[in-house]
Amino acid sequence: MASAIEVSNVSKEFVLRHTRSIKEAVVWLVKGRKGDLSKKFHALKDVSLMVETGETVALLGLNGSGKSTLLKHISGVMLPDSGSVYTRGRVAGLIEVGAGFHPDLSGRDNVYLNGAILGMTEKQINERFDAIVEFSEIGEFIDTEVKFYSSGMYLRLAFSVAVHTDPEVFLIDEILAVGDEPFQRKCIAKIQELAEKGKTLVVVSHDLDLVSRICARGVLLEHGNVMFDGPISEAVTRLRN
Amino acid sequence: MTTTISGELTRPGLGGGFRDLRQSSFLLKLLVRKELKVRYRGSVLGLLWSYVKPGVQFVVFYVALGVFMGLERSARNPDGLSNYAVYLFSGIVLINFFSEALGNSARSIVNNGNLIKKIYLPRELFPVASVWVSAVHFFPQLVVLVIGCLFAGWHPDMFQLLAAVGGFAIVGFLATGLGLLFGAANVYFRDSENLVDMLLMVATWASPVMYSWTMVQAKLGPVFFAIYQANPITVGVELFHYAFWYPTTDGSAAMPPNLFSLWLPIGLVISLVVLVLGQLTFRRLEGRFAQEL
Ligand SMILES: Nc1ncnc2c1ncn2[C@@H]1O[C@H](COP(=O)(O)OP(=O)(O)OP(=O)(O)O)[C@@H](O)[C@H]1O
Ligand SMILES: [Mg+2]
């Protein structure tokens, strides 16, 4: 089996207090660089994670432990300070519901825009358009502006576009929380179907029962360190204690 | 972002610069279309507005500046410019294009921060899409200009039309380069937006839009006039004058010396250098966009 994701010794530091004006920066320089212009914060510390193709991995941890930051490194949104990240095949992230949606455009326009943002070609979107609309159960609302959608409908369409991008590696961050019960079940079924087809999944969720059903492997993060990496049941037990 | 052959490990997040743009041409098209749709949403006349506005502007210039203020050449004002409204408008449409393109592309990265923070895509797309949108808005103004020119007896030759294309290209490259530069800088220092606004104000007056280049030459020495001429926007405006205004006159007006043999190549080279520098700076800074936004 080939690896799908290789994260080696990745560290990431964030600057906490930002200066957004040249004035502050100049004053600081003139004063002989006294004091801290910015505080540093380590979000990831020497994190390594190897994921084989077809594995289903859950990233677990308390708020602020670095799960989203790690996903952003895998998707390429952020670059590591040190260490390296490699991925194989196309990576698509459902980092946040409908990040690429524009409220003033219709559902149809948004499907095309978001599909293209997630890396689909015009032909692929044309082919899959009906399937996307059908899965989302949006029906006649597809030509309505998205700002008139309920938040659940918004999520449905966004999720539907994302699952139809057909990537090799799928990153999911906290998106299953919205949506009603039947649609949630449908999403989970779809995700499980993707897993069975041999897609690689990396899932972040605070719903521990849910991730235990979807994922086989659990990675526990704490303050940017990997504390545990192994079977999901053990990772969940550790987090619960 | 094409499907890579499975079996090949790649580093996510390292953009290929303008090479990515060719692969994402469909996304670029959608981003441009989105901007246009959002802008004219809910207006009855829609895109027609972009014809009406410059049309009214042209008529106002003609009446207020040409007739009332007497800048137009006449028996009482032999030093005036003939067809002053055409002269003025041909420069203004180009400056409008530059202002809109640079102003919007400088803000494009921060305005699309929500997306850039969450999904990886070639970020050059945003400033470049802004320039394209401005080019779309430029078109109706060009139509109004041509109609005005035809009323004034415009009869251009092929070379003069090519001069217009050259002027547009020079200004377009410059706007794209500066847009990439300031768009990236704006993520780190929001002062850049104000800097751009100031720059745009100066740009209107630092080129012979409202006045004629001969007045500048008379006041500045040869050295400062050369600096004035090296400004790519000045070259663009003069090329537009040559293409649209000059063929409506009796041909007695003088064009700046060496416009084609010297200033055109210099303007083009400066624009292209700015474009390359803008792109290099952008690539250098884009790695930290997601965390700084
Ligand atoms: N761009 C940024 N600039 C500064 N600090 C940041 C930035 N992004 C994240 N952080 C910090 O890094 C830490 C980890 O954030 P991250 O979003 O990865 O947490 P998380 O594990 O996803 O938490 P949650 O469960 O709440 O989603 C947090 O303390 C956060 O404040
Ligand atoms: Mg998170």
PDB file of all heavy atoms in Angstrom, chain A residues 12 18 20-22 72 74 76-77 86-88 95-96 104 109 112, chain B residues 7 10-13 30 37 41 117-118 120 123 190-191 290-292:
ATOM      1  N   LYS A  12       4.703  24.385  13.618  1.00  0.00           N
ATOM      2  CA  LYS A  12       4.106  25.632  13.146  1.00  0.00           C
ATOM      3  C   LYS A  12       3.956  26.604  14.303  1.00  0.00           C
ATOM      4  O   LYS A  12       3.414  26.263  15.340  1.00  0.00           O
ATOM      5  CB  LYS A  12       2.725  25.364  12.543  1.00  0.00           C
ATOM      6  CG  LYS A  12       2.101  26.577  11.912  1.00  0.00           C
ATOM      7  CD  LYS A  12       2.797  26.932  10.624  1.00  0.00           C
ATOM      8  CE  LYS A  12       2.230  28.184   9.994  1.00  0.00           C
ATOM      9  NZ  LYS A  12       2.984  28.531   8.777  1.00  0.00           N
ATOM     10  N   HIS A  18      -0.855  40.909  16.353  1.00  0.00           N
ATOM     11  CA  HIS A  18      -0.522  41.380  15.011  1.00  0.00           C
ATOM     12  C   HIS A  18      -0.450  42.898  14.953  1.00  0.00           C
ATOM     13  O   HIS A  18      -1.226  43.580  15.588  1.00  0.00           O
ATOM     14  CB  HIS A  18      -1.589  40.934  14.023  1.00  0.00           C
ATOM     15  CG  HIS A  18      -1.500  39.495  13.717  1.00  0.00           C
ATOM     16  ND1 HIS A  18      -0.633  38.997  12.794  1.00  0.00           N
ATOM     17  CD2 HIS A  18      -2.151  38.438  14.229  1.00  0.00           C
ATOM     18  CE1 HIS A  18      -0.774  37.695  12.741  1.00  0.00           C
ATOM     19  NE2 HIS A  18      -1.682  37.327  13.597  1.00  0.00           N
ATOM     20  N   ARG A  20      -1.012  45.681  12.214  1.00  0.00           N
ATOM     21  CA  ARG A  20      -1.555  45.807  10.874  1.00  0.00           C
ATOM     22  C   ARG A  20      -1.218  47.162  10.277  1.00  0.00           C
ATOM     23  O   ARG A  20      -1.679  47.511   9.220  1.00  0.00           O
ATOM     24  CB  ARG A  20      -3.070  45.627  10.901  1.00  0.00           C
ATOM     25  CG  ARG A  20      -3.493  44.225  11.101  1.00  0.00           C
ATOM     26  CD  ARG A  20      -3.571  43.485   9.778  1.00  0.00           C
ATOM     27  NE  ARG A  20      -4.060  42.145  10.003  1.00  0.00           N
ATOM     28  CZ  ARG A  20      -3.257  41.098  10.014  1.00  0.00           C
ATOM     29  NH1 ARG A  20      -1.982  41.225   9.804  1.00  0.00           N
ATOM     30  NH2 ARG A  20      -3.743  39.910  10.232  1.00  0.00           N
ATOM     31  N   SER A  21      -0.467  47.976  11.012  1.00  0.00           N
ATOM     32  CA  SER A  21      -0.157  49.282  10.454  1.00  0.00           C
ATOM     33  C   SER A  21       1.352  49.503  10.439  1.00  0.00           C
ATOM     34  O   SER A  21       2.080  49.020  11.304  1.00  0.00           O
ATOM     35  CB  SER A  21      -0.848  50.389  11.237  1.00  0.00           C
ATOM     36  OG  SER A  21      -0.129  50.683  12.395  1.00  0.00           O
ATOM     37  N   ILE A  22       1.782  50.222   9.435  1.00  0.00           N
ATOM     38  CA  ILE A  22       3.201  50.517   9.297  1.00  0.00           C
ATOM     39  C   ILE A  22       3.657  51.381  10.466  1.00  0.00           C
ATOM     40  O   ILE A  22       4.757  51.242  10.961  1.00  0.00           O
ATOM     41  CB  ILE A  22       3.449  51.223   7.945  1.00  0.00           C
ATOM     42  CG1 ILE A  22       3.166  50.240   6.806  1.00  0.00           C
ATOM     43  CG2 ILE A  22       4.865  51.753   7.853  1.00  0.00           C
ATOM     44  CD1 ILE A  22       3.256  50.845   5.428  1.00  0.00           C
ATOM     45  N   LYS A  72      -5.120  22.048   7.620  1.00  0.00           N
ATOM     46  CA  LYS A  72      -4.762  23.105   6.671  1.00  0.00           C
ATOM     47  C   LYS A  72      -3.382  22.874   6.080  1.00  0.00           C
ATOM     48  O   LYS A  72      -3.114  23.290   4.947  1.00  0.00           O
ATOM     49  CB  LYS A  72      -4.827  24.476   7.358  1.00  0.00           C
ATOM     50  CG  LYS A  72      -6.262  24.943   7.549  1.00  0.00           C
ATOM     51  CD  LYS A  72      -6.347  26.258   8.251  1.00  0.00           C
ATOM     52  CE  LYS A  72      -7.813  26.680   8.389  1.00  0.00           C
ATOM     53  NZ  LYS A  72      -7.951  27.943   9.119  1.00  0.00           N
ATOM     54  N   ILE A  74      -2.225  19.859   5.498  1.00  0.00           N
ATOM     55  CA  ILE A  74      -2.389  18.760   4.540  1.00  0.00           C
ATOM     56  C   ILE A  74      -3.028  19.271   3.247  1.00  0.00           C
ATOM     57  O   ILE A  74      -2.688  18.840   2.155  1.00  0.00           O
ATOM     58  CB  ILE A  74      -3.233  17.627   5.165  1.00  0.00           C
ATOM     59  CG1 ILE A  74      -2.501  17.038   6.372  1.00  0.00           C
ATOM     60  CG2 ILE A  74      -3.506  16.537   4.142  1.00  0.00           C
ATOM     61  CD1 ILE A  74      -3.319  16.053   7.177  1.00  0.00           C
ATOM     62  N   GLY A  76      -2.702  22.263   2.058  1.00  0.00           N
ATOM     63  CA  GLY A  76      -1.836  23.225   1.380  1.00  0.00           C
ATOM     64  C   GLY A  76      -2.212  24.666   1.647  1.00  0.00           C
ATOM     65  O   GLY A  76      -1.581  25.571   1.120  1.00  0.00           O
ATOM     66  N   VAL A  77      -3.231  24.890   2.457  1.00  0.00           N
ATOM     67  CA  VAL A  77      -3.605  26.269   2.782  1.00  0.00           C
ATOM     68  C   VAL A  77      -2.488  26.929   3.575  1.00  0.00           C
ATOM     69  O   VAL A  77      -2.185  28.104   3.384  1.00  0.00           O
ATOM     70  CB  VAL A  77      -4.942  26.285   3.555  1.00  0.00           C
ATOM     71  CG1 VAL A  77      -5.210  27.656   4.137  1.00  0.00           C
ATOM     72  CG2 VAL A  77      -6.080  25.869   2.654  1.00  0.00           C
ATOM     73  N   TYR A  86       3.698  15.850   2.373  1.00  0.00           N
ATOM     74  CA  TYR A  86       3.507  15.342   1.015  1.00  0.00           C
ATOM     75  C   TYR A  86       2.152  14.662   0.937  1.00  0.00           C
ATOM     76  O   TYR A  86       1.720  14.023   1.894  1.00  0.00           O
ATOM     77  CB  TYR A  86       4.586  14.317   0.655  1.00  0.00           C
ATOM     78  CG  TYR A  86       5.935  14.935   0.362  1.00  0.00           C
ATOM     79  CD1 TYR A  86       6.901  15.015   1.370  1.00  0.00           C
ATOM     80  CD2 TYR A  86       6.224  15.435  -0.894  1.00  0.00           C
ATOM     81  CE1 TYR A  86       8.136  15.589   1.103  1.00  0.00           C
ATOM     82  CE2 TYR A  86       7.455  16.014  -1.158  1.00  0.00           C
ATOM     83  CZ  TYR A  86       8.403  16.080  -0.158  1.00  0.00           C
ATOM     84  OH  TYR A  86       9.608  16.651  -0.424  1.00  0.00           O
ATOM     85  N   THR A  87       1.497  14.828  -0.210  1.00  0.00           N
ATOM     86  CA  THR A  87       0.238  14.112  -0.407  1.00  0.00           C
ATOM     87  C   THR A  87       0.266  13.441  -1.768  1.00  0.00           C
ATOM     88  O   THR A  87       1.016  13.836  -2.652  1.00  0.00           O
ATOM     89  CB  THR A  87      -0.971  15.068  -0.367  1.00  0.00           C
ATOM     90  OG1 THR A  87      -0.768  16.111  -1.317  1.00  0.00           O
ATOM     91  CG2 THR A  87      -1.148  15.675   1.015  1.00  0.00           C
ATOM     92  N   ARG A  88      -0.560  12.406  -1.916  1.00  0.00           N
ATOM     93  CA  ARG A  88      -0.634  11.704  -3.191  1.00  0.00           C
ATOM     94  C   ARG A  88      -2.053  11.826  -3.728  1.00  0.00           C
ATOM     95  O   ARG A  88      -3.005  11.565  -3.024  1.00  0.00           O
ATOM     96  CB  ARG A  88      -0.290  10.230  -2.968  1.00  0.00           C
ATOM     97  CG  ARG A  88       0.087   9.480  -4.230  1.00  0.00           C
ATOM     98  CD  ARG A  88       0.209   8.005  -3.967  1.00  0.00           C
ATOM     99  NE  ARG A  88       1.183   7.668  -2.935  1.00  0.00           N
ATOM    100  CZ  ARG A  88       2.505   7.513  -3.155  1.00  0.00           C
ATOM    101  NH1 ARG A  88       2.983   7.685  -4.365  1.00  0.00           N
ATOM    102  NH2 ARG A  88       3.316   7.206  -2.178  1.00  0.00           N
ATOM    103  N   ILE A  95     -13.373  22.016   4.722  1.00  0.00           N
ATOM    104  CA  ILE A  95     -12.821  22.620   5.915  1.00  0.00           C
ATOM    105  C   ILE A  95     -13.912  23.399   6.633  1.00  0.00           C
ATOM    106  O   ILE A  95     -14.025  23.369   7.831  1.00  0.00           O
ATOM    107  CB  ILE A  95     -11.637  23.551   5.555  1.00  0.00           C
ATOM    108  CG1 ILE A  95     -10.570  22.762   4.783  1.00  0.00           C
ATOM    109  CG2 ILE A  95     -11.070  24.169   6.797  1.00  0.00           C
ATOM    110  CD1 ILE A  95      -9.805  21.763   5.563  1.00  0.00           C
ATOM    111  N   GLU A  96     -14.721  24.091   5.878  1.00  0.00           N
ATOM    112  CA  GLU A  96     -15.865  24.739   6.498  1.00  0.00           C
ATOM    113  C   GLU A  96     -16.984  24.771   5.484  1.00  0.00           C
ATOM    114  O   GLU A  96     -16.750  24.941   4.289  1.00  0.00           O
ATOM    115  CB  GLU A  96     -15.510  26.155   6.947  1.00  0.00           C
ATOM    116  CG  GLU A  96     -16.521  26.700   7.921  1.00  0.00           C
ATOM    117  CD  GLU A  96     -15.988  27.955   8.578  1.00  0.00           C
ATOM    118  OE1 GLU A  96     -14.926  27.887   9.212  1.00  0.00           O
ATOM    119  OE2 GLU A  96     -16.651  28.980   8.446  1.00  0.00           O
ATOM    120  N   ASP A 104     -25.144  36.023  -2.929  1.00  0.00           N
ATOM    121  CA  ASP A 104     -25.962  36.690  -3.935  1.00  0.00           C
ATOM    122  C   ASP A 104     -26.122  35.894  -5.215  1.00  0.00           C
ATOM    123  O   ASP A 104     -26.806  36.335  -6.135  1.00  0.00           O
ATOM    124  CB  ASP A 104     -25.367  38.062  -4.282  1.00  0.00           C
ATOM    125  CG  ASP A 104     -25.541  39.041  -3.128  1.00  0.00           C
ATOM    126  OD1 ASP A 104     -26.568  38.950  -2.441  1.00  0.00           O
ATOM    127  OD2 ASP A 104     -24.657  39.875  -2.925  1.00  0.00           O
ATOM    128  N   ASP A 109     -25.358  28.648  -9.783  1.00  0.00           N
ATOM    129  CA  ASP A 109     -24.074  29.327  -9.993  1.00  0.00           C
ATOM    130  C   ASP A 109     -23.064  28.905  -8.927  1.00  0.00           C
ATOM    131  O   ASP A 109     -21.876  28.733  -9.200  1.00  0.00           O
ATOM    132  CB  ASP A 109     -24.247  30.847  -9.932  1.00  0.00           C
ATOM    133  CG  ASP A 109     -25.003  31.372 -11.139  1.00  0.00           C
ATOM    134  OD1 ASP A 109     -24.991  30.668 -12.172  1.00  0.00           O
ATOM    135  OD2 ASP A 109     -25.600  32.449 -11.046  1.00  0.00           O
ATOM    136  N   TYR A 112     -21.396  25.570  -9.583  1.00  0.00           N
ATOM    137  CA  TYR A 112     -20.300  25.677 -10.548  1.00  0.00           C
ATOM    138  C   TYR A 112     -19.077  26.348  -9.929  1.00  0.00           C
ATOM    139  O   TYR A 112     -17.950  25.871 -10.060  1.00  0.00           O
ATOM    140  CB  TYR A 112     -20.759  26.457 -11.793  1.00  0.00           C
ATOM    141  CG  TYR A 112     -21.441  25.550 -12.780  1.00  0.00           C
ATOM    142  CD1 TYR A 112     -22.806  25.305 -12.700  1.00  0.00           C
ATOM    143  CD2 TYR A 112     -20.702  24.904 -13.768  1.00  0.00           C
ATOM    144  CE1 TYR A 112     -23.423  24.445 -13.588  1.00  0.00           C
ATOM    145  CE2 TYR A 112     -21.311  24.043 -14.654  1.00  0.00           C
ATOM    146  CZ  TYR A 112     -22.676  23.820 -14.563  1.00  0.00           C
ATOM    147  OH  TYR A 112     -23.285  22.959 -15.444  1.00  0.00           O
TER     148      TYR A 112
ATOM    149  N   GLY B   7       0.578   7.742  -7.253  1.00  0.00           N
ATOM    150  CA  GLY B   7       1.911   7.165  -7.311  1.00  0.00           C
ATOM    151  C   GLY B   7       2.935   8.253  -7.219  1.00  0.00           C
ATOM    152  O   GLY B   7       4.117   8.009  -7.034  1.00  0.00           O
ATOM    153  N   THR B  10       3.219  14.798  -3.945  1.00  0.00           N
ATOM    154  CA  THR B  10       3.424  16.216  -4.210  1.00  0.00           C
ATOM    155  C   THR B  10       3.331  16.994  -2.905  1.00  0.00           C
ATOM    156  O   THR B  10       2.734  16.547  -1.946  1.00  0.00           O
ATOM    157  CB  THR B  10       2.354  16.761  -5.169  1.00  0.00           C
ATOM    158  OG1 THR B  10       1.070  16.351  -4.681  1.00  0.00           O
ATOM    159  CG2 THR B  10       2.549  16.254  -6.573  1.00  0.00           C
ATOM    160  N   ARG B  11       3.948  18.163  -2.912  1.00  0.00           N
ATOM    161  CA  ARG B  11       3.854  19.051  -1.748  1.00  0.00           C
ATOM    162  C   ARG B  11       2.677  19.958  -1.945  1.00  0.00           C
ATOM    163  O   ARG B  11       2.642  20.724  -2.902  1.00  0.00           O
ATOM    164  CB  ARG B  11       5.113  19.905  -1.625  1.00  0.00           C
ATOM    165  CG  ARG B  11       6.341  19.120  -1.315  1.00  0.00           C
ATOM    166  CD  ARG B  11       7.475  20.082  -1.133  1.00  0.00           C
ATOM    167  NE  ARG B  11       7.610  20.385   0.274  1.00  0.00           N
ATOM    168  CZ  ARG B  11       8.791  20.451   0.881  1.00  0.00           C
ATOM    169  NH1 ARG B  11       9.887  20.285   0.216  1.00  0.00           N
ATOM    170  NH2 ARG B  11       8.849  20.700   2.158  1.00  0.00           N
ATOM    171  N   PRO B  12       1.693  19.893  -1.074  1.00  0.00           N
ATOM    172  CA  PRO B  12       0.548  20.780  -1.229  1.00  0.00           C
ATOM    173  C   PRO B  12       0.907  22.216  -0.889  1.00  0.00           C
ATOM    174  O   PRO B  12       1.754  22.463  -0.040  1.00  0.00           O
ATOM    175  CB  PRO B  12      -0.469  20.235  -0.217  1.00  0.00           C
ATOM    176  CG  PRO B  12       0.346  19.538   0.808  1.00  0.00           C
ATOM    177  CD  PRO B  12       1.576  19.037   0.106  1.00  0.00           C
ATOM    178  N   GLY B  13       0.269  23.158  -1.585  1.00  0.00           N
ATOM    179  CA  GLY B  13       0.398  24.555  -1.198  1.00  0.00           C
ATOM    180  C   GLY B  13       1.501  25.316  -1.891  1.00  0.00           C
ATOM    181  O   GLY B  13       1.671  26.489  -1.655  1.00  0.00           O
ATOM    182  N   LEU B  30     -15.260  31.873 -14.078  1.00  0.00           N
ATOM    183  CA  LEU B  30     -16.381  31.903 -13.139  1.00  0.00           C
ATOM    184  C   LEU B  30     -16.243  33.048 -12.140  1.00  0.00           C
ATOM    185  O   LEU B  30     -17.231  33.679 -11.768  1.00  0.00           O
ATOM    186  CB  LEU B  30     -16.481  30.576 -12.385  1.00  0.00           C
ATOM    187  CG  LEU B  30     -16.949  29.368 -13.187  1.00  0.00           C
ATOM    188  CD1 LEU B  30     -17.023  28.143 -12.305  1.00  0.00           C
ATOM    189  CD2 LEU B  30     -18.303  29.619 -13.821  1.00  0.00           C
ATOM    190  N   LYS B  37     -21.982  39.500 -12.186  1.00  0.00           N
ATOM    191  CA  LYS B  37     -23.353  39.179 -11.790  1.00  0.00           C
ATOM    192  C   LYS B  37     -23.719  39.887 -10.501  1.00  0.00           C
ATOM    193  O   LYS B  37     -24.794  40.458 -10.378  1.00  0.00           O
ATOM    194  CB  LYS B  37     -23.501  37.668 -11.593  1.00  0.00           C
ATOM    195  CG  LYS B  37     -24.104  36.992 -12.781  1.00  0.00           C
ATOM    196  CD  LYS B  37     -24.570  35.597 -12.437  1.00  0.00           C
ATOM    197  CE  LYS B  37     -25.036  34.919 -13.708  1.00  0.00           C
ATOM    198  NZ  LYS B  37     -25.168  33.486 -13.577  1.00  0.00           N
ATOM    199  N   ARG B  41     -26.685  42.849 -10.073  1.00  0.00           N
ATOM    200  CA  ARG B  41     -27.859  42.136  -9.581  1.00  0.00           C
ATOM    201  C   ARG B  41     -28.912  43.141  -9.119  1.00  0.00           C
ATOM    202  O   ARG B  41     -28.630  44.146  -8.487  1.00  0.00           O
ATOM    203  CB  ARG B  41     -27.377  41.246  -8.438  1.00  0.00           C
ATOM    204  CG  ARG B  41     -28.293  40.973  -7.328  1.00  0.00           C
ATOM    205  CD  ARG B  41     -27.482  40.308  -6.238  1.00  0.00           C
ATOM    206  NE  ARG B  41     -26.422  41.189  -5.758  1.00  0.00           N
ATOM    207  CZ  ARG B  41     -26.539  41.939  -4.669  1.00  0.00           C
ATOM    208  NH1 ARG B  41     -27.624  41.908  -3.966  1.00  0.00           N
ATOM    209  NH2 ARG B  41     -25.549  42.703  -4.279  1.00  0.00           N
ATOM    210  N   LYS B 117      -8.319  31.421   3.441  1.00  0.00           N
ATOM    211  CA  LYS B 117      -7.985  30.800   4.728  1.00  0.00           C
ATOM    212  C   LYS B 117      -8.378  29.341   4.793  1.00  0.00           C
ATOM    213  O   LYS B 117      -7.896  28.609   5.647  1.00  0.00           O
ATOM    214  CB  LYS B 117      -8.746  31.542   5.840  1.00  0.00           C
ATOM    215  CG  LYS B 117      -7.956  32.647   6.488  1.00  0.00           C
ATOM    216  CD  LYS B 117      -8.616  33.069   7.775  1.00  0.00           C
ATOM    217  CE  LYS B 117      -9.941  33.743   7.521  1.00  0.00           C
ATOM    218  NZ  LYS B 117     -10.429  34.499   8.692  1.00  0.00           N
ATOM    219  N   LYS B 118      -9.301  28.945   3.950  1.00  0.00           N
ATOM    220  CA  LYS B 118      -9.880  27.610   4.124  1.00  0.00           C
ATOM    221  C   LYS B 118      -9.584  26.619   3.024  1.00  0.00           C
ATOM    222  O   LYS B 118      -9.504  25.418   3.255  1.00  0.00           O
ATOM    223  CB  LYS B 118     -11.392  27.746   4.277  1.00  0.00           C
ATOM    224  CG  LYS B 118     -11.746  28.225   5.661  1.00  0.00           C
ATOM    225  CD  LYS B 118     -13.133  28.780   5.727  1.00  0.00           C
ATOM    226  CE  LYS B 118     -13.280  29.621   6.977  1.00  0.00           C
ATOM    227  NZ  LYS B 118     -14.296  30.644   6.820  1.00  0.00           N
ATOM    228  N   TYR B 120      -7.252  25.661  -0.505  1.00  0.00           N
ATOM    229  CA  TYR B 120      -6.111  26.042  -1.323  1.00  0.00           C
ATOM    230  C   TYR B 120      -6.525  26.185  -2.770  1.00  0.00           C
ATOM    231  O   TYR B 120      -7.153  25.314  -3.349  1.00  0.00           O
ATOM    232  CB  TYR B 120      -4.977  25.009  -1.219  1.00  0.00           C
ATOM    233  CG  TYR B 120      -3.879  25.392  -2.160  1.00  0.00           C
ATOM    234  CD1 TYR B 120      -3.044  26.442  -1.839  1.00  0.00           C
ATOM    235  CD2 TYR B 120      -3.754  24.790  -3.403  1.00  0.00           C
ATOM    236  CE1 TYR B 120      -2.082  26.884  -2.726  1.00  0.00           C
ATOM    237  CE2 TYR B 120      -2.791  25.227  -4.294  1.00  0.00           C
ATOM    238  CZ  TYR B 120      -1.961  26.264  -3.948  1.00  0.00           C
ATOM    239  OH  TYR B 120      -1.022  26.711  -4.828  1.00  0.00           O
ATOM    240  N   ARG B 123      -3.791  31.671  -5.675  1.00  0.00           N
ATOM    241  CA  ARG B 123      -4.312  32.950  -5.167  1.00  0.00           C
ATOM    242  C   ARG B 123      -4.135  34.078  -6.155  1.00  0.00           C
ATOM    243  O   ARG B 123      -4.781  35.115  -6.013  1.00  0.00           O
ATOM    244  CB  ARG B 123      -3.606  33.314  -3.857  1.00  0.00           C
ATOM    245  CG  ARG B 123      -3.992  32.466  -2.682  1.00  0.00           C
ATOM    246  CD  ARG B 123      -2.905  31.484  -2.377  1.00  0.00           C
ATOM    247  NE  ARG B 123      -3.175  30.739  -1.139  1.00  0.00           N
ATOM    248  CZ  ARG B 123      -2.274  29.963  -0.579  1.00  0.00           C
ATOM    249  NH1 ARG B 123      -1.080  29.808  -1.119  1.00  0.00           N
ATOM    250  NH2 ARG B 123      -2.560  29.301   0.510  1.00  0.00           N
ATOM    251  N   ARG B 190      -2.433  46.897   6.293  1.00  0.00           N
ATOM    252  CA  ARG B 190      -3.644  47.413   5.657  1.00  0.00           C
ATOM    253  C   ARG B 190      -3.461  48.842   5.172  1.00  0.00           C
ATOM    254  O   ARG B 190      -4.352  49.398   4.536  1.00  0.00           O
ATOM    255  CB  ARG B 190      -4.839  47.312   6.609  1.00  0.00           C
ATOM    256  CG  ARG B 190      -5.162  45.911   7.054  1.00  0.00           C
ATOM    257  CD  ARG B 190      -5.766  45.076   5.937  1.00  0.00           C
ATOM    258  NE  ARG B 190      -5.453  43.663   6.086  1.00  0.00           N
ATOM    259  CZ  ARG B 190      -6.174  42.797   6.774  1.00  0.00           C
ATOM    260  NH1 ARG B 190      -7.258  43.181   7.341  1.00  0.00           N
ATOM    261  NH2 ARG B 190      -5.787  41.534   6.877  1.00  0.00           N
ATOM    262  N   ASP B 191      -2.329  49.454   5.486  1.00  0.00           N
ATOM    263  CA  ASP B 191      -2.043  50.798   4.973  1.00  0.00           C
ATOM    264  C   ASP B 191      -1.950  50.800   3.452  1.00  0.00           C
ATOM    265  O   ASP B 191      -2.145  51.834   2.819  1.00  0.00           O
ATOM    266  CB  ASP B 191      -0.701  51.327   5.491  1.00  0.00           C
ATOM    267  CG  ASP B 191      -0.611  51.281   6.998  1.00  0.00           C
ATOM    268  OD1 ASP B 191      -0.723  50.174   7.539  1.00  0.00           O
ATOM    269  OD2 ASP B 191      -0.420  52.333   7.611  1.00  0.00           O
ATOM    270  N   ALA B 290      -2.746  32.575   4.604  1.00  0.00           N
ATOM    271  CA  ALA B 290      -3.823  31.930   5.356  1.00  0.00           C
ATOM    272  C   ALA B 290      -3.744  32.253   6.842  1.00  0.00           C
ATOM    273  O   ALA B 290      -4.763  32.412   7.505  1.00  0.00           O
ATOM    274  CB  ALA B 290      -3.765  30.424   5.144  1.00  0.00           C
ATOM    275  N   GLN B 291      -2.550  32.381   7.381  1.00  0.00           N
ATOM    276  CA  GLN B 291      -2.447  32.624   8.820  1.00  0.00           C
ATOM    277  C   GLN B 291      -2.501  34.105   9.171  1.00  0.00           C
ATOM    278  O   GLN B 291      -2.778  34.449  10.306  1.00  0.00           O
ATOM    279  CB  GLN B 291      -1.168  31.994   9.367  1.00  0.00           C
ATOM    280  CG  GLN B 291       0.100  32.615   8.851  1.00  0.00           C
ATOM    281  CD  GLN B 291       1.260  31.671   8.975  1.00  0.00           C
ATOM    282  OE1 GLN B 291       1.337  30.665   8.288  1.00  0.00           O
ATOM    283  NE2 GLN B 291       2.166  31.977   9.875  1.00  0.00           N
ATOM    284  N   GLU B 292      -2.226  34.962   8.197  1.00  0.00           N
ATOM    285  CA  GLU B 292      -2.197  36.393   8.502  1.00  0.00           C
ATOM    286  C   GLU B 292      -3.555  37.054   8.301  1.00  0.00           C
ATOM    287  O   GLU B 292      -3.810  38.115   8.855  1.00  0.00           O
ATOM    288  CB  GLU B 292      -1.163  37.113   7.633  1.00  0.00           C
ATOM    289  CG  GLU B 292       0.263  36.644   7.819  1.00  0.00           C
ATOM    290  CD  GLU B 292       0.844  37.065   9.163  1.00  0.00           C
ATOM    291  OE1 GLU B 292       0.291  37.984   9.778  1.00  0.00           O
ATOM    292  OE2 GLU B 292       1.830  36.449   9.583  1.00  0.00           O
TER     293      GLU B 292
END
